Amino acid sequence: LLHHFPAQMPWVDGTPLFYHWLVYVHLASAATVTHIELIVLMRSMSIALLVLLAVGGAYAAATRLTGRKWTGFVAALVLAMGATPDFFGWTSLVSPAQLAFDSVTRAFDSPTHALVMPLQMVLMVLVVEMIRREQWRWGPWLLTVVVMVAVAGAKSSALPTIVAGLFLALVIAAVLRRTRMVRTLGVLLGSAVAVFLVAQRLFYGGGTRATGIDLNGSTVQRLGILMLPEGETLPGSAPLSIWISFTVGFLLVAVPVIAALVRGGWRRPDFVFLAGTWAAGAGAFMVLSHPALSQAYFLLGAGGFLAVLIAVSLSDIFPVDLSLRDGLRIAGCAALGCLAVVIARLVVGDDMPADGSAFT
């Protein structure tokens, strides 16, 4: 990009590069201004800065959307430390949950993912505040569209989940017959779809990049391989067991969200937008297939929505000022969770059953 624009494939002269390459525009610009070597920017400085912006963005988004400072710490904590460490030591790799939820660590492996995370925080706040106002004005709408373009150019998997969340929120608003909100959500949804269609041609060249639908495809197979000892093959019951495990895990992660939905959150299209975006990321992760497991970025990209969503859910559940008793109860629950992990480790040991009985 320092020498060729529009972007070209570096290994095929004169061939256009159809890719979500805005992060590399950022790196090229930073190298031009600072005269720092590109490899130093990419491996050390820029990615770390983008991760800090993402975690700080989660804090800012949660405090702005709830009006409570403690929710910002919850969102930042969930985003930065939301993955499950491999406590059990069943494989030499990380646990399967790490693949799906560790957005921050994945950013150091994927510069495009690193750029889209803080951009999504900005887009999230803009969209939620437009929904809450139940009206759209030219200024905020134009800014929202610009950020949508940036999100689409940063990562191709980011905007489709947001489109799904907007669509679900629109359905809820229509069911509740909130005409002004339906109009606002219609404008937002139409804008997001239009931006994605343009980006599909401009950035991605109209291709799918080998992404397809396969319910028992690469996601299920890869999760199964991670859960098996080296050299073992997947038994026939593995796909169903993995689907059940993922669904149970999804519901456990979403306990505060489910509680908030039951308490009336489903009547709030702004809340449904946040929940729907993350649910769409989880669904795309499981039903799509890609040779390099790139469908994981649908869920990884929704990690920021999950972090803010949990903070908003807890804000709805807990009173404004937590008492000392409430704090002790929360600490007690955390201690019980740690104790459960220790007991499971003592009972199971270091080795997962090698006969595949874990899948039956």
Side-chain angles (χ1 to χ4, degrees):
L1 284 167
L2 286 173
H3 306 286
H4 303 281
F5 192 86
Q8 297 181 17
M9 287 187 178
W11 51 85
V12 184
D13 188 30
T15 302
L17 176 64
F18 292 113
Y19 191 71
H20 35 235
W21 38 261
L22 286 191
V23 67
Y24 303 110
V25 176
H26 157 67
L27 291 169
S29 301
T32 301
V33 173
T34 64
H35 303 290
I36 299 174
E37 292 185 11
L38 281 168
I39 191 65
V40 176
L41 287 171
M42 186 172 71
R43 295 295 298 273
S44 301
M45 302 180 69
S46 288
I47 305 303
L49 175 61
L50 292 172
V51 168
L52 288 174
L53 288 174
V55 176
Y59 174 90
T63 54
R64 184 180 181 99
L65 296 180
T66 63
R68 304 179 187 179
K69 292 184 178 180
W70 65 267
T71 59
F73 291 102
V74 170
L77 184 65
V78 171
L79 182 60
M81 303 182 66
T84 305
D86 188 13
F87 288 113
F88 300 103
W90 284 344
T91 69
S92 60
L93 302 174
V94 295
S95 60
Q98 190 93 353
L99 174 68
F101 298 107
D102 197 358
S103 293
V104 167
T105 298
R106 186 66 56 174
F108 289 96
D109 300 327
S110 172
T112 54
H113 176 63
L115 177 63
V116 83
M117 283 201 302
L119 290 175
Q120 282 182 304
M121 298 299 175
V122 179
L123 183 57
M124 177 198 309
V125 172
L126 289 171
V127 169
V128 170
E129 291 189 343
M130 286 188 67
I131 294 174
R132 288 179 176 178
R133 285 195 297 265
E134 298 192 18
Q135 61 181 349
W136 68 279
R137 297 193 299 269
W138 283 104
W141 175 76
L142 287 174
L143 178 59
T144 303
V145 171
V146 169
V147 179
M148 285 180 178
V149 172
V151 167
K155 195 73 175 177
S156 60
S157 57
L159 199 56
T161 56
I162 294 173
V163 169
L166 287 170
F167 176 75
L168 186 58
L170 177 62
V171 171
I172 294 299
V175 170
L176 298 176
R177 297 181 179 180
R178 301 177 67 171
T179 306
R180 294 177 59 186
M181 189 169 290
V182 168
R183 188 182 303 113
T184 301
L185 282 165
V187 171
L188 289 171
L189 178 60
S191 302
V193 171
V195 168
F196 178 75
L197 292 177
V198 172
Q200 178 69 9
R201 177 59 57 183
L202 178 64
F203 289 109
Y204 323 137
T208 64
R209 290 297 181 267
T211 302
I213 298 177
D214 188 351
L215 298 181
N216 294 323
S218 58
T219 300
V220 172
Q221 296 297 322
R222 185 65 63 89
L223 291 179
I225 291 173
L226 288 175
M227 295 172 68
L228 281 175
E230 187 176 354
E232 294 292 326
T233 57
L234 290 176
S237 60
L240 177 60
S241 300
I242 292 172
W243 267 100
I244 293 174
S245 299
F246 183 83
T247 303
V248 171
F250 178 84
L251 294 176
L252 288 176
V253 169
V255 165
V257 181
I258 295 172
L261 287 171
V262 172
R263 291 165 61 92
W266 70 272
R267 292 179 172 272
R268 293 165 44 197
D270 60 320
F271 188 88
V272 173
F273 162 69
L274 295 174
T277 300
W278 181 61
F285 171 65
M286 291 300 289
V287 304
L288 295 180
S289 176
H290 187 272
L293 205 66
S294 293
Q295 70 272 20
Y297 287 104
F298 285 95
L299 183 53
L300 288 166
F305 283 84
L306 172 63
V308 176
L309 178 62
I310 289 180
V312 172
S313 300
L314 293 176
S315 176
D316 291 343
I317 295 171
F318 290 118
V320 176
D321 297 320
L322 294 178
S323 65
L324 178 61
R325 179 177 297 179
D326 292 328
L328 292 175
R329 288 174 178 172
I330 295 172
C333 290
L336 287 175
C338 294
L339 181 62
V341 170
V342 172
I343 293 175
R345 177 61 183 267
L346 293 175
V347 172
V348 176
D350 294 334
D351 298 324
M352 186 179 179
D355 57 1
S357 60
F359 292 108
T360 60

